[in-house]
Every structure is written in C-alpha cells, then in structure tokens.
C-alpha cells in the first residue's frame, strides 16, 4: 500500500469494453501522481494510451517507466491535432485544470481531470459554458469512490436497498503530508485551492452519490493551520456540514495528520446511516488488524456482515465512462453531478471559518 496519497494508483483486473485501438487516449500535465491511477483505470477498461506530453522531461521519463509503449508528443497541440484521440487525461496543478480542459474540449475531445476540477467559481462558470458550446465531457477522477472497491460495493448495496434510505453520511479523509516530497504549488493556496476544495471534494461527491442528492447547502465549514508554521498557506485541517435537497446530511473532516506509524497514507473511512441499516467502509487499512484495504461492514435486519472486497468488485466507472464517451451517454457519472460536487466544495471553501490557535 502506498505511503503517499499523491502516488496512490490502484490497479485492477483488465476488463476491456472496447477492442484494442478502438478508443485512443492521451495523458498530459503530469503534475499529480493521480495521473497513474487515471490511466491504469482507463487502460484496464480497454483504452489505448497513444500519447504523453509534459514540458518536464523528468515527469515524462517516469511516466514511460509505467507505460513504456506510449509515444512522447512534442507539444500539447500535437495531441490536440490528432483526430484519433478521443479523450485526454490530465493531472495539472489544480488552478490550471479548468483552462486545460477548456482547450481540450474546444479541440473536440473529452477531458478527464484529477480532482479538484476547479479552484474558483469563475473557472466553473467558464467550463460550464464550454461544455454547453462544445458538447464535450469534463469528467472528474473522484478516486476515493471510483477507485476503491469498498466504496463501489457500498453504492451497490445502497442501490439494492440494503440499508433503506440514506439519511446521513460521515466521512474521514486523513492524508499523510510528506512535506519534503511535495512540489511548491502544493503549499500555495491560489494554486491548490484550499483543503476543502482539494481533498474535501472527494467527501462531498460521495455524499451526493450515496444519499442520492442533486443539490445541497453548506451549513458550516472551517479550516485551519494547526501545526505547519513553515507553510502558512497550507490548510492542514478542515471540516464541513451539509444538508442535501432530500433532507440527508453529511459531516466530514479532512486533514494532513496521518501518523508516521500508519502502514498507508491515510485511514480513510466512510460511515453511512440508512433507515434500515448502516455501512462502514475502511478504505485503505483495517488499523492494527490488517494492512489490506477495502473492508466493508454492513449491519441491517439480516445481521452483521464483514466483506473483504479487495480484488472482488473491480472498478466499473472506467468502462462505463469509455462507453459514455463513445455513445454520448451519462451512465458512469452525469456532468451535472460532477459540476455540483465541484460547486459545493468551492462554496465550503469560500464560507470556511479560519480557526486560529
């Protein structure tokens, strides 16, 4: 298991939904290590990774170690001009993701970006306009749901009625800081967007999905820098409370305080309360018992059940997304859902009370 969330790149079993060469993609803007998870998921679902581009040759060479058959482009424009490319995946600096996506969509290609997709509401508004004008997709890699088998299975259980109607979701998203290995932009709030905008986006997206909300309001949010005086723009803690349009509520907290002794980068957990049962997901570790992740605990009228899901469920999002790109459907995730999750994390960040010591 990865010690650093920035290099967390799950691998699953190949489950192609297209023939080899039928759906060609490219990877650009390799600023965040999530690009590897994004590409793993797409390639396992049958996508053919044709091009890679980044102005930093070191990043490109590192990428080639994982994907040796990919061609190195001389420029982004070379990829944009290639009519065979249907989708471009990018993990740019967060403040640059919107502009890159707009350029990709204007070139007639779908775009798959790392979270968080925006750092300002102006970016969100502009990208909404470009999506409307071009008809292209601006999809987001919310990895803590899409690339965690326990989280995928929780969605299946909820859809099948295992816990009744979801009324509350509680999320814990701790991450390991590893400050010495982080790039400069990681500590610049204008570039990373704030902790609720950044890693908080995972939590809000999960709430909307599990609780079946199309909208929500931020009831309260706060952020703080508790223990990183050398990085004054870093928010090392944040939490938020939301109320969904169907009455469901959420509380989540995110932080950069994973202890050095934990076997992985963060003890991410999700607790879901329904009218007829509860679900707990221990995503990456079962502390002091098993270093494996993807543990799910279900309690309902039938009793208590512990599911060990690693290697059992797979990651259906990626195949569904490829088919959505081909058929212009929205089965993997709707555009409205991705934009709403982004909007709410921006609002949580804007409204956040800054906690001072």
């Amino acid at each position: 298991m990865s010690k650093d969330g920035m290099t967390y790149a799950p691998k699953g079993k190949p489950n192609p939904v297209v023939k080899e060469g039928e759906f060609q993609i490219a990877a650009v803007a390799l600023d965040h290590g999530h690009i590897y998870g994004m590409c793993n998921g797409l390639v396992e679902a049958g996508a053919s990774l044709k091009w890679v581009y980044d102005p930093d040759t070191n990043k490109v060479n590192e990428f080639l170690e994982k994907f040796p058959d990919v061609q190195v482009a001389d420029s982004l424009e070379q990829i944009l001009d290639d009519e065979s490319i249907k989708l471009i995946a990018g993990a740019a600096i967060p403040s640059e993701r919107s502009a890159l996506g707009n350029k990709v969509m204007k070139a007639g290609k779908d775009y798959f970006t790392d979270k968080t997709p925006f750092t300002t509401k102006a970016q969100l508004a502009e990208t909404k306009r470009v999506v409307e004008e071009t008809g292209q997709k601006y999809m987001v890699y919310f990895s803590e749901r899409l690339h965690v088998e326990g989280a995928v299975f929780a969605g299946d259980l909820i859809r099948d009625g295992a816990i009744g109607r979801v009324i509350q979701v509680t999320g814990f998203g701790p991450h390991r800081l590893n400050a010495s290995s982080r790039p400069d932009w990681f500590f610049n709030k204008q570039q990373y967007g704030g902790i609720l905008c950044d890693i908080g986006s995972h939590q809000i997206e999960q709430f909307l999905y599990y609780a079946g909300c199309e909208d929500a309001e931020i009831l309260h949010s706060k952020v703080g820098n508790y223990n990183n005086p050398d990085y004054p723009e870093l928010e090392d803690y944040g939490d938020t409370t939301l109320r969904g349009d169907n009455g469901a509520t959420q509380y989540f907290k995110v932080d950069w305080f994973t202890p050095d002794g934990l076997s992985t980068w963060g003890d991410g957990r999700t607790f879901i309360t329904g009218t007829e049962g509860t679900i707990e997901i221990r995503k990456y570790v079962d502390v002091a018992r098993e270093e494996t992740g993807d543990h799910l605990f279900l309690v309902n009228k039938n009793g208590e059940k512990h599911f060990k899901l690693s290697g059992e469920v797979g990651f259906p999002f990626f195949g569904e997304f490829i088919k959505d790109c081909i058929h212009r459907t929205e089965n993997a995730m709707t555009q409205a859902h991705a934009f709403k999750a982004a909007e709410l994390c921006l609002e949580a960040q804007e409204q956040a009370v800054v906690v001072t010591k």
Side-chain angles (χ1 to χ4, degrees), residues 165-167 207 213 243-249:
R165 177 169 59 91
V166 172
I167 59 173
F207 170 58
C213 301
R243 178 172 56 208
D245 56 1
N246 60 5
T249 64

Side-chain angles (χ1 to χ4, degrees), residues 240-298:
T240 302
T241 304
L242 302 91
R243 178 172 56 208
D245 56 1
N246 60 5
T249 64
Q250 180 190 36
Y251 167 80
F252 74 83
K253 70 179 185 72
V254 287
D255 65 68
W256 293 100
F257 289 112
T258 291
D260 290 343
L262 190 72
S263 58
T264 187
W265 55 268
D267 182 14
R269 300 196 189 195
T270 302
F271 299 81
I272 306 169
T273 300
T275 55
E276 299 174 24
T278 62
I279 290 170
E280 178 191 348
I281 316 164
R282 300 180 188 176
K283 294 182 178 179
Y284 311 113
V285 65
D286 193 5
V287 171
R289 300 205 307 180
E290 294 187 44
E291 292 187 4
T292 58
D294 289 304
H295 296 267
L296 184 145
F297 299 85
L298 169 67

Side-chain angles (χ1 to χ4, degrees), residues 145 184 322 342:
R145 180 175 68 83
D184 291 342
I322 288 173

Side-chain angles (χ1 to χ4, degrees), residues 35-351:
I35 191 66
Y36 293 97
M38 297 162 72
C39 290
N40 285 345
L42 290 167
V43 170
E44 288 161 7
S48 299
L49 183 56
K50 181 177 181 179
W51 293 109
V52 63
Y53 173 72
D54 191 283
D56 185 333
T57 55
N58 290 330
K59 289 188 176 72
V60 171
N61 289 335
E62 184 178 347
F63 190 85
L64 291 173
E65 292 179 9
K66 302 287 179 65
F67 299 98
D69 297 328
V70 68
Q71 301 177 54
V72 179
D74 295 325
S75 64
L76 173 63
E77 286 65 33
Q78 183 178 5
I79 297 172
L80 296 179
D81 290 341
D82 184 343
E83 293 185 0
S84 72
I85 297 298
K86 306 303 181 186
L87 173 73
I88 295 180
I93 294 171
S95 60
E96 299 173 8
R97 289 170 183 167
S98 173
L100 174 60
N102 296 342
K103 185 177 292 187
V104 167
M105 292 186 294
K106 288 176 180 178
K109 305 179 190 308
D110 293 321
Y111 179 61
F112 186 35
T113 180
D114 189 17
K115 65 78 215 154
T116 183
F118 309 101
T119 55
T120 69
K121 284 187 174 179
Q123 293 174 2
L124 172 59
E126 174 66 9
T127 292
K128 281 185 173 181
R129 184 184 64 79
V130 175
V131 166
E132 185 70 23
E133 289 179 355
T134 64
Q136 301 300 140
K137 296 182 181 295
Y138 189 102
M139 197 47 56
V140 185
Y141 180 57
F142 291 113
S143 57
E144 291 187 21
R145 180 175 68 83
L146 304 177
H147 230 161
V148 174
E149 288 178 287
V152 173
F153 189 62
D156 294 341
L157 289 173
I158 291 167
R159 186 181 62 247
D160 292 343
I163 62 169
R165 177 169 59 91
V166 172
I167 59 173
Q168 209 281 334
V169 179
T170 300
F172 300 129
H175 287 56
R176 177 169 283 125
L177 182 57
N178 279 347
S180 62
S181 68
R182 300 288 181 174
D184 291 342
W185 61 259
F186 180 87
F187 302 101
N188 183 323
K189 188 173 179 181
Q190 184 275 327
Q191 290 181 293
Y192 79 86
I195 192 169
L196 300 176
C197 181
D198 182 19
I199 55 178
S201 61
H202 289 296
Q203 303 297 325
I204 292 176
E205 189 276 333
Q206 287 173 93
F207 170 58
L208 296 177
Y209 178 76
Y210 289 137
C213 301
E214 294 183 1
D215 201 353
E217 62 177 318
I218 307 300
L219 299 181
H220 179 73
S221 58
K222 57 183 180 288
V223 297
N225 181 320
Y226 282 90
N227 199 42
N228 287 278
D230 293 340
Y231 305 104
E233 292 191 37
L234 175 70
E235 295 168 351
D236 57 23
Y237 175 87
D239 62 42
T240 302
T241 304
L242 302 91
R243 178 172 56 208
D245 56 1
N246 60 5
T249 64
Q250 180 190 36
Y251 167 80
F252 74 83
K253 70 179 185 72
V254 287
D255 65 68
W256 293 100
F257 289 112
T258 291
D260 290 343
L262 190 72
S263 58
T264 187
W265 55 268
D267 182 14
R269 300 196 189 195
T270 302
F271 299 81
I272 306 169
T273 300
T275 55
E276 299 174 24
T278 62
I279 290 170
E280 178 191 348
I281 316 164
R282 300 180 188 176
K283 294 182 178 179
Y284 311 113
V285 65
D286 193 5
V287 171
R289 300 205 307 180
E290 294 187 44
E291 292 187 4
T292 58
D294 289 304
H295 296 267
L296 184 145
F297 299 85
L298 169 67
V299 183
N300 61 13
K301 63 185 179 182
N302 298 319
E304 307 167 0
K305 188 70 181 290
H306 173 200
F307 297 88
K308 296 183 179 182
L309 298 164
S310 181
E312 299 296 322
V313 179
F315 309 111
F317 166 82
F318 298 94
E320 290 298 324
F321 179 40
I322 288 173
K323 291 188 287 186
D324 283 345
C325 292
I326 293 171
H327 303 298
R328 313 317 294 171
T329 49
E330 288 194 311
N331 296 316
M333 182 187 298
T334 68
Q335 189 65 75
H337 175 87
F339 281 156
K340 181 55 66 173
E343 178 186 351
L344 290 169
C345 74
L346 292 168
E347 289 184 359
Q349 192 69 54
E350 280 185 1
Q351 298 177 25

